């Protein structure tokens, strides 16, 4: 990205933080629409496990609203300073730390599996509803619940914070952010990100094909009757498709469109076409995985529950590996294309002026 583009993202991140902070103050003062904790119907349906599902499971508008307002104001100030390339003594490490806290906090820690559900089931529902009328009695309104949309918004904000912070550091470094460690671990991270969804997909297709894998028989029978296991298999298959696409981060066809892609074959694959979805999916699965880490840490793993929770714990590894793989791919592509860009700029500078 150019310096102007990363600066623009910084200003946008700051404005979003300011707006969401104002929304927090609105909730704290008694305004309607608080979507977390006591305002989240899905969590309040089982309040005894709400905190295991979400770190916001016990949030109240009177307390959380003011915390959101305070962090929104702090975030706005930090994002604006980063967008303006603040570099006084001590500012760079401080602003970098604030940016990382917001990126990880919003994109991973406050999330649960429902953000992944919204994104993953959108294409599933778009196909299954008009073609098969499934699931019966459920539609878009059941998928796009307000708390889920707020979580999705926070996840995208976390990604924006990561980009803001990375852009800030790159600008202060003169645009050079090459990391030997990133390249050293990039290939291993890619193959790890390929393997993790395959393991998950295997358990979900086992259920769909009639293998209970030891879970409670009544639960398994109920899932068969409701079509739950086929829904899980469909979702897992998307992960399998993602695993195949992830291989492109270390394959030639991930850099140049293959021959069978009529109209595109032989053309250069824009790096961000691979990087953006990989980072978003990585954040989604890592955030969902953190919820299962909390559940397993509290409840442990039993012979009749491991297929329900243990594969999802690996989502944290999958997500982290996918993000590292995507960043290594981007760095490698930019480094390979840098001489050509420099030559183009040199040619323009030497061109005769009219």
């Amino acid at each position: 990205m150019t310096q102007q583009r990363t600066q623009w993202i910084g200003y946008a991140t700051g404005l979003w933080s300011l707006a969401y902070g104002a929304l927090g103050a609105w909730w704290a003062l008694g305004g309607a629409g608080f979507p977390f904790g006591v305002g989240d119907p899905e969590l309040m349906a089982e309040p005894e496990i709400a905190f295991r599902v979400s770190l916001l499971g016990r949030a109240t508008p009177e307390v959380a609203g003011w915390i959101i307002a305070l962090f929104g104001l702090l975030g706005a100030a930090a994002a604006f300073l980063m967008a303006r390339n603040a570099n006084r003594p001590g500012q760079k490490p401080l602003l970098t730390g604030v940016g990382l806290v917001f990126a990880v906090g919003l994109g991973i820690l406050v999330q649960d599996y429902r953000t992944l559900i919204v994104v993953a089931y959108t294409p599933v529902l778009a196909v299954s509803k008009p073609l098969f009328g499934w699931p019966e009695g459920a539609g878009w309104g059941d998928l796009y619940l307000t708390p889920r949309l707020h979580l999705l918004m926070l996840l995208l904000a976390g990604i924006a914070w990561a980009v803001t912070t990375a852009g800030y550091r790159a600008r202060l470094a003169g645009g050079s952010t090459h990391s030997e460690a990133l390249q050293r671990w990039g290939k291993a991270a890619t193959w790890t990100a390929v393997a993790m969804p395959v393991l998950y997909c295997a358990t979900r297709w086992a259920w769909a094909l009639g293998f209970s894998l030891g879970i409670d028989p009544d639960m398994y029978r109920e899932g068969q009757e409701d079509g739950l296991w086929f829904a899980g298999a469909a979702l897992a298959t998307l992960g399998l498709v993602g695993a195949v696409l992830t291989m492109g981060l270390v394959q030639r066809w991930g850099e140049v469109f293959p021959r069978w892609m009529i109209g595109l074959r032989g053309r250069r694959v824009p790096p961000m076409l691979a990087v953006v979805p990989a980072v978003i999916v990585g954040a989604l699965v890592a955030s969902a995985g953190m919820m299962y880490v909390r559940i397993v840490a509290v409840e442990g793993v039993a012979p009749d529950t491991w297929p329900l929770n243990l594969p999802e714990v690996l989502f944290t590894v999958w997500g982290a590996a996918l993000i590292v793989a995507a960043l290594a791919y981007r760095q490698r592509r930019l480094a390979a294309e840098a001489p050509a860009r420099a030559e183009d700029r040199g040619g323009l500078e030497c061109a005769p002026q009219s």
Side-chain angles (χ1 to χ4, degrees), residues 267-285:
R267 295 187 182 183
R268 162 186 168 274
V269 176
M272 300 311 289
L273 183 64
V275 173
V276 171
V279 169
I280 292 176
V281 172
L284 281 167
V285 295

Side-chain angles (χ1 to χ4, degrees), residues 3 17 37 45 51 57 74 79 130 163 168 205-206 221 225 232 240 253 255 294 297 304 313 316 318 326-327 339 348:
Q3 291 189 7
S17 297
F51 190 67
L74 172 65
V163 174
Y168 166 67
W205 270 106
R221 192 179 311 109
E225 294 171 354
L240 198 58
W253 55 265
E255 299 180 10
R294 290 194 296 271
D304 62 344
V313 169
T316 54
W318 176 12
L327 295 179
L348 290 174

Side-chain angles (χ1 to χ4, degrees), residues 164-179:
T164 296
T165 306
Y168 166 67
R169 290 181 60 83
R171 290 193 301 274
L172 294 188
S176 175
T177 58
H178 185 78
S179 169

